[in-house]
Amino acid sequence: MTSSTTTTASGQPGNGDAGGVVDGVVGVPGGIGASARAARADALDAWLRTLLPAREGVALVAVGGLGRRQCAPYGDLDLLLLHAGVPGVDDLAAGIWYPVWDAGLRLDHSVRTVAEALSVAQDDVKVALGLLDARHVAGDAALAEQLIRTGTDHWRRTAVRQLPGLREITAARWETHGELAFLLEGDLKEAAGGLRDVGILRAIAIAGITDALRPAVRAAHLRLLDTRDALHTQVGRRVDRLLAQERDGVAALLGLRQLPADAGPGAVDEGDALLRRVAGDARTVSHALDDAFRATDRLRAGRRRGVDGRPLRRPVARDVVEHDGELVLARTAIGARPDPSLSLRVAAAAATTRLPIARATCEWLAAYCPSLPAPWPAEARAALITLLGAGPGLVPAWETCDRYGLVDGWLPEWTRMRSLPQHNPVHRFTLDRHLVQTAYEASRHTREVDRPDLLLLGALLHDAGKGLGGDHSVVGAPLAEAVATRIGLPEHEVTLIGRLVRLHLLLPDVATRRDLADPKTIAGVAGKVGDTTTLDLLHALVRADAAATGPAAWSDWKGRLVAELVARVRTTLDTGVLPEPPAPDPALLAGPLPVVHQTGDRVAVAAADRRGLLATVAGCLALHRLEVISADASTVDGRALVECRVQPRYGLAPDPIALTADLRRAVTGDVSVTQRLRGRALAARGAGAAPRVVWHREAATDAVVLELRAADAAGLLYRVTCALDEAGAQVRAARISTLGADVVDAFYLVGGWPDDVTRARVESAVLAAV
């Protein structure tokens, strides 16, 4: 669309209403904003009316931007000449199209009857959507109204059937143009989250499937339209891709703040402010479209209902229920006083089940979930680790929570990092998405490290210093330590998190820039790393960081160099010692046996030492639907001690009297309890990486350590300890740790290093039990 813009005294384009001339006939206003777009539509309407003589049975209908009255400064014209079979319509069409072309405007045009237009819409979903924007401009208003009304009615009747095809087309477009939120030079119209997707949301809303155009979406839409207006004005022609060289000019036209000359580190320039605004708006649109497509899917599939005719409800976690394919709060949670960890627990449930959180639930959590105290309660900390370690479900769950402001309540630092662009072509994501993606990638390596929980947290925080100036590894370390302290980690773990952030680039930097055959190189890395726990965490973090960055950030060559460096540093550090188990509760060391103590989430049992005691206690807890979060088994002065931290599987605490009675009977050999344990089917939770057994020769003075890394499952501890007992392995002590969706279980087996045959037999029994 030909246009000129007003200028300010400084010569910069302004937002005035002075317009250009189309074919010497009509002034088309320039400018940015809703009023400017409406003024352009009014001017074009007035001019087009002069091109169509008044005649019954013929109407000029606008679709696209003119139909919506959202004309960009250099946008196209989409026009339909509608007729009722009158003669001479081709001449009428030529009298319109040629003046438009002569004016230098790009034109998409068609000549159809109402029946023809509806027939095309029947076969082409894009045409059907276009009719939803149809607006009478000139000629027979009744004929235009017939098409508009009939086209809308037709869409409402057929939308559910046509939307799957539209979804396929949309997915193909996304594959071609990428995600607007994460692109440094994205297409404002065609990329995922762009203006084209707003049109789909409008169509879904017109069909009455869901309220797709909520206020946040409408506000995002207006800002994206303003950005396109500014881009057209800046470039002086029709263009929808926001190129880097146009960024600062577009930002200035939109009035985004410019930095003073003395701006300090961390200040965001106007170009970055524009990218962050576009990214936030695109994410709002994308999230709304995902939600709308899910509503369509539910409508097509129908609701699964119970015998009372209501949608089925299924508990999936404490205070969280699946309802009609989405996660909602249990009724008891809504009626009770919400605890600060509730939003994190809902997010963790969404990530592990890969089910979306219902919009109303997100809104309720944003409005009523209280702030987390400092330090966090253990339940909130455990939920965060579960969320971060959930694998593919992490990103959509985190994105949903971020859209409703829940993440800011967990991590106030997130506000600064949200949608921060990374001006490195290697990076495919904004900073915040990169951090979440790194945590997802790190979940693939949790079974390779001693502290998967710290790996996940370090992955989320490893680039926290970006955007603040200086070396982001050095700047980010104290920020990460502050987060770890607020979350409630002990001091030595806070220090380790800071070390991971400070050193997260050490291995790739040294591997690719130093002589790995030089002993000084290896000694220097070993001196900085300090221990093999940190070394393994850094190695896993390096690979996760690279995978989250993009394909150009890693190669087989680089991987081999890093692996060689790690192997040499490991040899220098001479590793093998595991942390000592915690001291037993003194109350268990005195009094007649058996002793059973229950305090909050802790269950402790002391009994006469015998084989299989740990398995018996673990099975009894599983029988009462208690998940073992952590457990310690040891022998002190002839007493076998088992101490566990537990949580109810579905938030329903067992009867403490019944649990104590079963534990007492079980540890004294009551066969009725044993039969119940063996009779209950305790199935594994499901998919994930293959379980792994690792042997540690030098981890203990009088035992060898068998370490199992596997997916968590109901009754897993019971099955594995039974398998060890049946394989003839005597368990002297055990450290059981459940970290998110995974477990890392260390079993201290009495005796020296087993031979190959014995080791293979025991390992096979354990893996079969998993």
Side-chain angles (χ1 to χ4, degrees), residues 7-21:
T7 58
T8 63
S10 62
Q12 295 297 319
N15 290 343
D17 291 329
V21 177

Side-chain angles (χ1 to χ4, degrees), residues 55-115:
R55 184 171 177 180
E56 187 177 354
V58 180
L60 185 62
V61 175
V63 294
L66 180 58
R68 296 187 299 271
R69 295 176 53 79
Q70 294 170 351
C71 299
Y74 291 89
D76 298 346
L77 283 185
D78 295 320
L79 299 174
L80 166 62
L81 186 61
L82 192 66
H83 67 97
V86 298
V89 70
D90 289 339
D91 292 336
L92 288 173
I96 301 172
W97 308 153
Y98 280 100
V100 172
W101 287 324
D102 290 343
L105 301 177
R106 295 179 52 166
L107 174 64
D108 187 358
H109 62 88
S110 59
V111 179
R112 289 175 181 146
T113 65
V114 172

